[in-house]
Amino acid sequence: MRRLPPRTLRGQLTAGLVALLALACLAVGITTALALRGFLLGRLDEQLSASGGRFAASLEHEAKPDADNRPDTRGQAESTFGARLLNGSVTQAAVVDDATDRPLVLTPADRRALAGIPVDGDGHSVRLSALGAYRVTAVEGDDQDTLITGLPLHPVEETVHRLEAVESVLFGVALVVTGTAGALWVRFSLRPLQRVTARAAEVAGLPLASGEVAMPGPLPDTDPRTEVGQVGSALNHMLGHVEDALTRRQASEERLRHFAADASHELRTPVANIRGHAELALRHHGPVPVPGEVRHALERIGSESQRMTRLVDDLLLLARLDAGRPLEHEPVDLTLLILNATDDARAAGPDHRWLLELPEEPVTVTGDAHRLQQAIGNILANARTHTPPGTEVTISLTTEPTGAWVSVSDNGPGIPEELQPEVFGRFVRADHARSRSTGNTGLGLAIVHAVITAHGGTVTVTSSPGHTTFRFVLPH
């Protein structure tokens, strides 16, 4: 797989530092190698100019009958190359080898390369098949010929390669040392940023939606002269605003809870009085009977006051649960609660099919029996009132290491998908998907969620056309 660049800021800074140093080392290496090569080539050109073509001129004797047929190699360095050209053709060529001249066999390509050397006295590089790379210079001879003298480039190339090898080792060590030191320095320099990140992660892990939350203290890294200090200062300001907003929201929710609890408590007495007076009027047996219209009105007053009583009780219960009022903690036979709640639901909804799937042994949890009975009854009432007659409702109870699981499933029309995230909210009704019966306050499932949460459990719902399941777990 193709290696990806580092994602962390520390890795990017370290990689950037090493990359810049590597580019600098490469530039220095190339510059020094080229400079050294140019210097050595200049020295070779000076030696060639100083020789004045004497070795190449001595090759003329090989073409004269009265000569001793030996070129003059005195003062010539070993491997010095000499060649004589006449009318663009090589007539003689030799190389100094152990103070003796060694005849050469030049290929046509070598002869063309020698013939193409400019006669300007400057140094030029040429590669001969028998000798390799040479630095040569060409001058005009006394007999209308061209004299070429050359020195091997092998010492120059060897010196340059040696320099490159030494620089490679030195630069490699420098990159390793600098990369390690740079990584440590970057890590040390970014420690304030790590503290900022840790503080942000700490705040992100707080249950901000649960109400009053103790925010962590301010960061000490707030130096405005540094970028990290500016980030730390901005984070401190943001945390201050968040803490202030949470405090205001908590105070508002506390006032709302107290208002709901007080209002519910105050409403219980007048509602009970209205209901009592309505029942008393219906029992009146005076000489004049109560007219039919008045009796119907009194019956409606009693029915609505009874509905108002249930609503007030539900609101008072939710207010107490929101305020964190402690529930009872005693052993509760969950199997018995389910049996009793199913019997009540079967009596209230005889047109439904009520099925039970219970384990052979009773399941016991710790909690408030009355509130748990109310939660289970609300789920069954929800299944009864929001499904048509003939709907099959299955109540099952299982035990797992995580706790006791209770599920209520029905094959009714289901809950609309857009309503499912809000189904445990207060005053939420599925008016468009399920039938709404008289007396429904929209608080039943909200009470279920509040009671189960107060017991340390969780409740969920999954629904699709033809299948709806409410499932909650209670810890053992």
Side-chain angles (χ1 to χ4, degrees):
M1 296 179 62
R2 182 169 58 90
R3 297 193 61 181
L4 298 177
R7 295 181 179 271
T8 63
L9 178 60
R10 184 175 62 186
Q12 291 178 358
L13 291 176
T14 304
L17 175 63
V18 173
L20 290 176
L21 182 60
L23 290 176
C25 292
L26 181 62
V28 170
I30 294 175
T31 302
T32 54
L34 292 177
L36 179 61
R37 179 181 176 84
F39 173 76
L40 296 178
L41 290 178
R43 295 292 301 272
L44 281 181
D45 292 344
E46 291 177 359
Q47 295 180 25
L48 292 174
S49 298
S51 66
R54 290 190 300 270
F55 178 62
S58 65
L59 297 179
E60 298 180 25
H61 299 290
E62 297 183 1
K64 296 180 180 180
D66 57 347
D68 56 2
N69 206 27
R70 292 182 59 84
D72 184 9
T73 61
R74 292 173 297 176
Q76 302 298 327
E78 185 178 354
S79 300
T80 300
F81 170 76
R84 178 175 177 268
L85 282 75
L86 186 61
N87 298 326
S89 299
V90 178
T91 58
Q92 289 87 24
V95 64
V96 177
D97 187 5
D98 295 331
T100 62
D101 60 302
R102 174 165 53 89
L104 290 177
V105 178
L106 299 176
T107 64
D110 296 337
R111 295 177 180 275
R112 286 193 299 270
L114 292 174
I117 297 173
V119 186
D120 53 7
D122 296 331
H124 301 278
S125 298
V126 66
R127 178 171 294 277
L128 302 176
S129 59
L131 299 177
Y134 261 70
R135 188 72 171 177
V136 298
T137 181
V139 296
E140 294 183 356
D142 297 334
D143 300 326
Q144 303 299 320
D145 55 0
T146 300
L147 305 178
I148 297 177
T149 306
L151 291 173
L153 287 175
H154 175 70
V156 174
E157 300 293 342
E158 185 177 355
T159 303
V160 173
H161 292 331
R162 187 179 298 113
L163 175 64
E164 292 173 348
V166 172
E167 287 181 337
S168 299
V169 174
L170 291 178
F171 291 159
V173 173
L175 287 176
V176 172
V177 174
T178 305
T180 303
L184 295 177
W185 176 253
V186 169
R187 182 174 183 178
F188 175 79
S189 301
L190 293 181
R191 284 193 305 174
L193 186 59
Q194 293 176 350
R195 288 192 289 267
V196 172
T197 304
R199 182 59 53 83
E202 180 182 357
V203 174
L206 294 176
L208 300 180
S210 63
E212 188 175 1
V213 177
M215 300 294 289
L219 284 167
D221 306 298
T222 57
D223 188 355
R225 296 172 298 178
T226 65
E227 290 79 1
V228 177
Q230 295 172 9
V231 174
S233 178
L235 182 61
N236 284 339
H237 286 298
M238 184 187 68
L239 293 181
H241 290 312
V242 171
E243 184 176 13
D244 183 64
L246 290 177
T247 302
R248 291 171 179 263
R249 190 192 69 176
Q250 181 67 16
S252 176
E253 290 181 354
E254 288 294 335
R255 290 194 297 268
L256 183 60
R257 291 193 186 102
H258 289 307
F259 170 77
D262 294 340
S264 301
H265 183 74
E266 294 297 330
L267 284 174
R268 297 180 74 180
T269 300
V271 170
N273 291 336
I274 293 173
R275 182 179 177 184
H277 285 295
E279 292 177 353
L280 180 62
L282 287 173
R283 295 196 198 101
H284 177 69
H285 298 288
V288 180
V290 178
E293 294 84 356
V294 176
R295 176 174 294 275
H296 177 71
L298 291 174
E299 289 176 350
R300 291 300 304 149
I301 291 173
S303 175
E304 290 301 317
S305 62
Q306 185 176 4
R307 178 174 177 270
M308 181 66 71
T309 300
R310 291 196 301 269
L311 176 60
V312 170
D313 290 340
D314 290 344
L315 288 174
L316 185 59
L317 172 60
L318 289 173
R320 290 174 176 174
L321 292 175
D322 290 341
R325 296 285 183 87
L327 300 175
E328 295 184 4
H329 287 78
E330 30 182 65
V332 178
D333 187 347
L334 194 57
T335 304
L336 181 61
L337 293 185
I338 293 176
L339 288 173
N340 294 335
T342 305
D343 289 340
D344 296 340
R346 185 178 287 111
D351 295 334
H352 287 66
R353 295 185 58 193
W354 304 92
L355 304 178
L356 286 171
E357 296 179 355
L358 303 177
E360 296 181 359
E361 298 295 331
V363 178
T364 303
V365 296
T366 301
D368 191 320
H370 176 65
R371 297 307 176 196
L372 290 177
Q373 178 83 36
Q374 185 177 8
I376 298 174
N378 285 355
I379 295 180
L380 297 181
N382 181 79
R384 173 177 54 83
T385 57
H386 295 298
T387 56
T391 301
E392 183 178 284
V393 182
T394 303
I395 306 97
S396 63
L397 172 62
T398 58
T399 58
E400 298 180 7
T402 55
W405 288 84
V406 178
S407 65
V408 178
S409 303
D410 66 69
N411 59 355
I415 303 174
E417 184 177 356
E418 65 276 6
L419 188 64
Q420 293 180 22
E422 305 175 358
V423 73
F424 294 108
R426 299 174 187 185
F427 302 105
V428 175
R429 300 184 182 95
D431 295 337
H432 300 290
R434 295 184 171 193
S435 62
R436 176 181 176 182
S437 59
T438 304
N440 180 24
T441 63
L443 295 176
L445 294 181
I447 292 176
V448 171
H449 183 271
V451 169
I452 299 302
T453 303
H455 281 81
T458 57
V459 58
T460 59
V461 60
T462 57
S463 181
S464 59
H467 181 78
T468 299
T469 299
F470 287 88
R471 196 164 189 251
F472 66 86
V473 59
L474 294 172
H476 291 298

